[in-house]
Amino acid sequence: MVERTPILTFICHLLLIGGIALVCMPLYYAFIAGSLTMEEVQQVPLPFWPGDHFLENIETAWSKVNFGRLLLNSFVVAVGITIGKVSISLLSAYAITYFRFRFRMLAFWLIFMSLMLPVEVRIVPTYESVANAALPIQWLIDLFQLSSLWEWISGNRIEISVEWNMINSYQGLILPLIASASATFLFRQFFLTVPEELLEAARLDGASAMRFFWTILLPLSRSNIVALSIILFLYGWNQYLWPLLITTDKDMTTAVIGVKNLIPRSDTEPAWNVAMSGALLTMLPPVLVVLVMQRWFIKGLVDSSK
Amino acid sequence: MAAPLHEPGLKQSHFKGVRLPALLLLPQLLILLFFFFIPAVRALMGAFLLSDPFGATVHFVWFDNFIALFHSESYRNSVRVTIVFTLAQNVITILIAGVLAFATDRVVRGQSVYKGVVLLPYAIAPAIAGVLWAFLFNPAVGPVAFFIKSLGFAWDPNLNGSDAMLLVVFAASWKHICYNYIFLLAGLLAIPGSLLEAAAVDGAGPIKRFFQISVPLLGPTIFFLTTMNFVYGFFETFAIIDAVTHGGPAGATNILVYKVYQDGFINLDLGSSAAQSVLLMTFALILTLVQFKHVERRVNYTI
């Protein structure tokens, strides 16, 4: 602080309290609505103090959209995306910083190009790829006329068709989201700052490439991995478009989609109390992660956008 | 002695050989191939094809899908809506985040509490943020809607397009202020104290110092955030639109990325949807290149 400015400091506190009010107001009203009965939530204006039906509403939400299962799905998907992204990014970042091979720059650019296209812009074709991930193989079969080749060889007429459907499955929810240019880039930047002497020393001691990776590079990256994992967990938990598209089975979707299905529409009963209790329940795990691991979360947020 | 031959982004001491790095890269490249490159190529191909909804007949139609788009009133409406939405969201987000970051930088007591609370919405899914605001603004039960009506204004986002737009802009900004805030705050904290002290000695007050020293030094950060806000507004707000307004009423909140989804999955107009995808991809590409050009000029964030 350069000088004392009591008035300005006071104004700053006021502004920040305003900011906090802005952040908390929707959350507070969600809590109020979530704790009332359906009749009470229709009152205008809404009461300012919470009622005592919160657990009841949670129970209703729980049975209405099978929330227990949805929360489990969200957890599996978020953890799966986190572990998947971190591992494939660590491996590919190691390959492009620590190995000299002919297609190194090509690999780098192939990965980097994917940074540019979020899943939202290629919805339909990506969906088709997941609906039948074996499609490219089918193309090859069609291209080389393998069916007729087989017919010619064996005299039997068969249609060769392959299918690998990932709709309504965990792999369908997780796999398309784990390729990550930004995570790869983050680890690459970090590896470039690791002292050269470490590898030279490890080599003198006769360590192989993978041993160097496991015993030296991985432990050094620990803080980066933790920080990134938090961001990726939030990313996975809060996914919307992808689970919406590739789950048709109500028990295979995620909690966020469950909340969406609880919102009252014009032709349903106005059960805002249930929808709000479900929303609060769904945001609880990521909010706890951010509150408990705030320092790591900020590091992850700032690092992963560099 | 000649300088050692050095490839960019390669460690001075490194391994040689192809087999191991190829194996290490394989998982990433396979996933990219299946879920990224093949879909992108298919979108490109699809953009030049016209097929009926059941895929029975397919014609190659050159640029007809694109030309049809430029002539379509609903697409032009979608472009307008997207521009209004992203601009409004961008301005609101940066302004509020800037004020809060400035204030946080000034106060000593309670700084970490303020920071912790302002950051909370980052943890909340866009769809859920949308649901929270949809409730507040609900014309029948919402407390904010009640307040607006008690001031004598008509309010119904289910019927009035600009009300609906206001609602999604609020929800989208509320969710994204925290992201802008953390970068602006980090940037403010990184400004050397000596600069600010020198200006103070010359008689510049805190507000003047903020506008004449901090804001110019934050230039790259603000630029970066603007790009990120556009990316957010263009793509990630899909969830808010889908959960809250479904692009309505009458297309008033039908942003481009939502239209791709609607035309592709609901109206089954695949050629048009693919052409829209290609246009969006081009736009995303430009945004990334713009951002990438400035990646080296980025300030060093520590917090």
Coordinates of all heavy atoms in Angstrom, one line a residue, chain A residues 78 82 86 223-238 285-301 304, chain B residues 122-123:
Chain A
A78 N -16.1 -37.6 -14.2 CA -15.1 -36.6 -13.9 C -13.8 -37.2 -13.6 O -12.8 -36.7 -14.1 CB -15.7 -35.8 -12.7
T82 N -10.3 -36.9 -15.8 CA -9.1 -36.3 -15.2 C -8.0 -37.3 -15.3 O -6.9 -36.9 -15.8 CB -9.4 -36.1 -13.7 OG1 -10.6 -35.3 -13.5 CG2 -8.2 -35.4 -13.0
V86 N -4.8 -36.5 -17.9 CA -3.5 -36.3 -17.3 C -2.5 -37.3 -17.8 O -1.4 -37.0 -18.2 CB -3.5 -36.3 -15.7 CG1 -2.2 -36.4 -15.1 CG2 -4.2 -35.1 -15.2
S223 N 3.1 -31.2 -8.3 CA 2.3 -30.0 -8.0 C 1.5 -29.6 -9.3 O 0.3 -29.2 -9.2 CB 3.1 -28.9 -7.5 OG 3.8 -28.3 -8.5
N224 N 2.1 -29.7 -10.5 CA 1.4 -29.4 -11.7 C 0.2 -30.4 -11.9 O -0.9 -30.0 -12.3 CB 2.3 -29.5 -12.9 CG 3.2 -28.3 -13.0 OD1 2.7 -27.2 -13.2 ND2 4.5 -28.5 -12.8
I225 N 0.5 -31.7 -11.6 CA -0.6 -32.7 -11.8 C -1.8 -32.4 -10.9 O -2.9 -32.4 -11.3 CB 0.0 -34.1 -11.6 CG1 1.0 -34.4 -12.6 CG2 -1.1 -35.1 -11.6 CD1 1.7 -35.7 -12.5
V226 N -1.5 -32.1 -9.6 CA -2.6 -31.8 -8.7 C -3.4 -30.6 -9.1 O -4.6 -30.7 -9.2 CB -2.0 -31.6 -7.2 CG1 -3.1 -31.1 -6.3 CG2 -1.4 -32.8 -6.7
A227 N -2.7 -29.5 -9.5 CA -3.4 -28.3 -9.8 C -4.3 -28.6 -11.1 O -5.4 -28.2 -11.1 CB -2.4 -27.2 -10.1
L228 N -3.7 -29.2 -12.1 CA -4.4 -29.5 -13.3 C -5.6 -30.4 -13.0 O -6.7 -30.3 -13.6 CB -3.5 -30.1 -14.3 CG -4.1 -30.3 -15.7 CD1 -4.4 -29.0 -16.4 CD2 -3.3 -31.1 -16.6
S229 N -5.4 -31.4 -12.2 CA -6.5 -32.4 -11.9 C -7.7 -31.7 -11.3 O -8.8 -32.1 -11.7 CB -6.0 -33.4 -10.9 OG -4.9 -34.2 -11.4
I230 N -7.5 -30.7 -10.5 CA -8.7 -30.0 -10.0 C -9.5 -29.3 -11.1 O -10.7 -29.5 -11.1 CB -8.2 -28.9 -8.9 CG1 -7.6 -29.7 -7.7 CG2 -9.4 -28.1 -8.5 CD1 -7.0 -28.7 -6.7
I231 N -8.8 -28.6 -12.0 CA -9.5 -28.0 -13.1 C -10.2 -29.0 -13.9 O -11.3 -28.8 -14.3 CB -8.5 -27.2 -13.9 CG1 -7.8 -26.1 -13.1 CG2 -9.1 -26.6 -15.1 CD1 -8.7 -25.1 -12.6
L232 N -9.5 -30.1 -14.2 CA -10.1 -31.2 -15.0 C -11.3 -31.8 -14.4 O -12.3 -32.2 -15.0 CB -9.1 -32.2 -15.4 CG -8.0 -31.7 -16.3 CD1 -7.0 -32.8 -16.7 CD2 -8.6 -31.1 -17.6
F233 N -11.2 -32.0 -13.0 CA -12.4 -32.6 -12.3 C -13.6 -31.7 -12.5 O -14.7 -32.2 -12.8 CB -12.0 -32.8 -10.9 CG -13.1 -33.4 -10.1 CD1 -13.3 -34.8 -10.1 CD2 -14.0 -32.6 -9.3 CE1 -14.4 -35.3 -9.4 CE2 -15.1 -33.2 -8.6 CZ -15.2 -34.5 -8.6
L234 N -13.4 -30.4 -12.3 CA -14.5 -29.5 -12.5 C -15.1 -29.5 -13.9 O -16.3 -29.6 -14.2 CB -14.1 -28.0 -12.2 CG -13.6 -27.8 -10.8 CD1 -13.1 -26.3 -10.6 CD2 -14.6 -28.1 -9.7
Y235 N -14.1 -29.6 -14.9 CA -14.5 -29.7 -16.3 C -15.3 -30.9 -16.5 O -16.4 -30.8 -17.2 CB -13.2 -29.7 -17.1 CG -13.3 -30.1 -18.6 CD1 -13.7 -29.1 -19.5 CD2 -13.1 -31.4 -19.0 CE1 -13.8 -29.5 -20.8 CE2 -13.2 -31.7 -20.3 CZ -13.5 -30.8 -21.2 OH -13.6 -31.1 -22.5
G236 N -14.9 -32.0 -16.0 CA -15.6 -33.3 -16.2 C -17.0 -33.3 -15.6 O -18.0 -33.7 -16.1
W237 N -17.0 -32.8 -14.3 CA -18.2 -32.8 -13.6 C -19.3 -31.9 -14.2 O -20.5 -32.2 -14.2 CB -18.0 -32.3 -12.1 CG -19.2 -32.4 -11.2 CD1 -20.2 -31.6 -11.1 CD2 -19.5 -33.5 -10.4 NE1 -21.1 -32.0 -10.2 CE2 -20.7 -33.2 -9.7 CE3 -18.8 -34.7 -10.0 CZ2 -21.3 -34.1 -8.8 CZ3 -19.4 -35.6 -9.1 CH2 -20.6 -35.2 -8.5
N238 N -18.9 -30.8 -14.8 CA -19.8 -29.8 -15.3 C -20.1 -30.0 -16.8 O -20.7 -29.1 -17.4 CB -19.2 -28.4 -15.1 CG -19.2 -28.1 -13.6 OD1 -19.9 -28.7 -12.8 ND2 -18.4 -27.1 -13.2
P285 N -20.3 -31.1 -4.7 CA -18.9 -31.6 -4.8 C -17.9 -30.7 -5.4 O -16.9 -30.4 -4.8 CB -19.1 -32.9 -5.6 CG -20.5 -33.2 -5.5 CD -21.3 -31.9 -5.3
P286 N -18.2 -30.1 -6.6 CA -17.2 -29.1 -7.2 C -16.9 -27.9 -6.3 O -15.8 -27.4 -6.2 CB -17.8 -28.8 -8.5 CG -19.2 -29.2 -8.5 CD -19.3 -30.3 -7.5
V287 N -18.0 -27.4 -5.6 CA -17.8 -26.2 -4.8 C -16.9 -26.6 -3.6 O -16.0 -25.8 -3.3 CB -19.2 -25.7 -4.3 CG1 -19.0 -24.7 -3.1 CG2 -19.9 -24.9 -5.4
L288 N -17.1 -27.8 -3.0 CA -16.2 -28.2 -1.9 C -14.8 -28.3 -2.4 O -13.9 -27.9 -1.7 CB -16.7 -29.5 -1.4 CG -17.9 -29.5 -0.4 CD1 -18.3 -30.9 0.1 CD2 -17.6 -28.5 0.7
V289 N -14.6 -28.8 -3.6 CA -13.2 -29.0 -4.1 C -12.6 -27.6 -4.2 O -11.4 -27.4 -3.8 CB -13.3 -29.7 -5.5 CG1 -11.9 -29.5 -6.2 CG2 -13.6 -31.1 -5.3
V290 N -13.3 -26.6 -4.7 CA -12.7 -25.3 -4.9 C -12.4 -24.7 -3.6 O -11.4 -24.0 -3.4 CB -13.7 -24.4 -5.8 CG1 -13.3 -23.0 -5.7 CG2 -13.7 -24.9 -7.2
L291 N -13.4 -24.8 -2.6 CA -13.2 -24.2 -1.3 C -12.0 -24.8 -0.6 O -11.1 -24.1 0.0 CB -14.4 -24.3 -0.5 CG -15.6 -23.4 -0.8 CD1 -16.8 -23.6 0.1 CD2 -15.1 -21.9 -0.7
V292 N -11.9 -26.2 -0.6 CA -10.9 -26.8 0.2 C -9.5 -26.7 -0.4 O -8.5 -26.5 0.3 CB -11.3 -28.3 0.4 CG1 -10.2 -29.1 1.1 CG2 -12.6 -28.5 1.2
M293 N -9.5 -26.7 -1.7 CA -8.2 -26.7 -2.4 C -8.0 -25.4 -3.2 O -7.5 -25.4 -4.3 CB -8.1 -27.9 -3.3 CG -8.4 -29.2 -2.6 SD -8.1 -30.7 -3.5 CE -6.3 -30.8 -3.4
Q294 N -8.3 -24.3 -2.5 CA -8.3 -23.0 -3.2 C -7.0 -22.7 -3.9 O -6.9 -22.2 -5.0 CB -8.8 -21.9 -2.3 CG -9.3 -20.7 -3.1 CD -9.5 -19.5 -2.2 OE1 -8.6 -18.7 -2.0 NE2 -10.6 -19.4 -1.6
R295 N -5.9 -22.9 -3.1 CA -4.6 -22.5 -3.6 C -4.2 -23.3 -4.9 O -3.8 -22.7 -5.9 CB -3.5 -22.7 -2.5 CG -2.3 -21.9 -2.6 CD -1.5 -22.0 -1.4 NE -1.2 -23.4 -1.0 CZ -0.1 -24.0 -1.5 NH1 0.7 -23.4 -2.4 NH2 0.1 -25.3 -1.2
W296 N -4.5 -24.6 -4.8 CA -4.2 -25.4 -6.0 C -5.1 -25.1 -7.1 O -4.7 -25.1 -8.3 CB -4.4 -26.9 -5.6 CG -3.4 -27.4 -4.6 CD1 -3.6 -27.7 -3.3 CD2 -2.0 -27.7 -4.9 NE1 -2.5 -28.1 -2.8 CE2 -1.5 -28.1 -3.7 CE3 -1.2 -27.6 -6.0 CZ2 -0.1 -28.5 -3.6 CZ3 0.1 -28.0 -5.9 CH2 0.6 -28.4 -4.7
F297 N -6.3 -24.8 -6.8 CA -7.3 -24.5 -7.8 C -6.8 -23.2 -8.6 O -6.9 -23.2 -9.9 CB -8.6 -24.3 -7.2 CG -9.6 -23.4 -8.0 CD1 -10.1 -23.9 -9.2 CD2 -10.0 -22.2 -7.5 CE1 -11.0 -23.1 -9.9 CE2 -10.9 -21.4 -8.3 CZ -11.4 -21.9 -9.5
I298 N -6.4 -22.2 -7.9 CA -5.9 -21.0 -8.6 C -4.7 -21.2 -9.5 O -4.6 -20.8 -10.6 CB -5.7 -19.8 -7.6 CG1 -7.0 -19.4 -6.9 CG2 -5.1 -18.6 -8.3 CD1 -6.8 -18.4 -5.8
K299 N -3.8 -22.0 -8.9 CA -2.6 -22.4 -9.7 C -3.0 -23.1 -11.0 O -2.6 -22.8 -12.1 CB -1.7 -23.2 -8.9 CG -0.5 -23.7 -9.6 CD 0.5 -24.6 -8.8 CE 1.4 -25.4 -9.6 NZ 2.2 -24.7 -10.6
G300 N -3.9 -24.1 -10.8 CA -4.4 -24.8 -12.0 C -5.0 -24.0 -13.0 O -4.8 -24.1 -14.2
L301 N -5.9 -23.1 -12.5 CA -6.6 -22.2 -13.4 C -5.7 -21.3 -14.2 O -5.8 -21.2 -15.5 CB -7.6 -21.3 -12.6 CG -8.6 -20.5 -13.3 CD1 -9.4 -21.3 -14.2 CD2 -9.4 -19.7 -12.3
S304 N -3.3 -23.6 -16.6 CA -3.8 -24.3 -17.7 C -4.3 -23.3 -18.8 O -4.6 -23.8 -19.9 CB -5.0 -25.1 -17.3 OG -6.0 -24.3 -16.7
Chain B
Y122 N -17.0 -20.5 -10.4 CA -16.2 -21.3 -11.4 C -16.5 -22.8 -11.2 O -16.5 -23.5 -12.2 CB -14.7 -21.1 -11.2 CG -13.9 -21.7 -12.2 CD1 -13.6 -21.1 -13.4 CD2 -13.4 -23.1 -12.1 CE1 -12.9 -21.7 -14.5 CE2 -12.7 -23.7 -13.1 CZ -12.5 -23.0 -14.3 OH -11.8 -23.6 -15.3
A123 N -16.9 -23.1 -10.0 CA -17.1 -24.6 -9.7 C -18.5 -25.0 -10.2 O -18.8 -26.2 -10.3 CB -17.0 -24.8 -8.2

